[in-house]
Amino acid sequence: MMMQEMMVSNAMTVIINGKEIKDMSDSMLLEYIGKNCSVWTFNSVGGVKGKLMAADSEWVKIKTKKGDIQIVNKNMIMSIHIDTEQK
C-alpha cells in the first residue's frame, strides 16, 4: 500500500489537446521536446511558460520566451499543458 501511495504522489498530469493523462516517467514528455508548454507547480502562481527542452526522471528543463532556463523538479509539478498546435 505504501508503494502505491508513493507512486501516485510522483505521478504527473500532462494535458494534451484538453485530455488529462497521468504519467509516471519522462517517456511521455520526451516526444514533446521542442514544443511550447506551460508548467504549473504546487508553489507557483503563474507557472512557467516556454519551450520544453529536456526531461528526465527528476527534472524538466524549460527555456522561457526571454531566453532564461528554468529547471523544475518533477515532484513539484502539478500539471503541464503542451501546445501541440504550434508551427
Side-chain angles (χ1 to χ4, degrees):
M1 183 72 169
M2 290 184 77
M3 183 62 142
Q4 289 176 336
E5 290 174 8
M6 190 165 129
M7 288 174 65
V8 170
S9 68
N10 288 333
M12 205 175 11
T13 302
V14 179
I15 302 171
I16 302 170
N17 294 331
K19 182 179 178 184
E20 288 188 14
I21 301 169
K22 295 274 187 197
D23 184 39
M24 306 280 278
S25 69
D26 59 328
S27 61
M28 182 183 299
L29 291 177
L30 293 178
E31 83 179 82
Y32 298 104
I33 299 295
K35 298 281 187 182
N36 288 327
C37 66
S38 300
V39 176
W40 285 274
T41 61
F42 290 105
N43 62 352
S44 68
V45 177
V48 179
K49 296 179 181 182
K51 187 175 286 194
L52 181 62
M53 303 300 290
D56 64 21
S57 61
E58 295 184 43
W59 301 96
V60 174
K61 180 178 176 183
I62 299 151
K63 184 174 184 179
T64 66
K65 291 182 181 183
K66 293 181 180 179
D68 298 332
I69 300 294
Q70 294 279 329
I71 300 175
V72 182
N73 185 301
K74 284 177 71 174
N75 291 329
M76 298 302 294
I77 295 174
M78 187 170 53
S79 68
I80 299 175
H81 179 266
I82 307 284
D83 179 6
T84 58
E85 296 182 18
Q86 74 185 38
K87 297 176 182 175

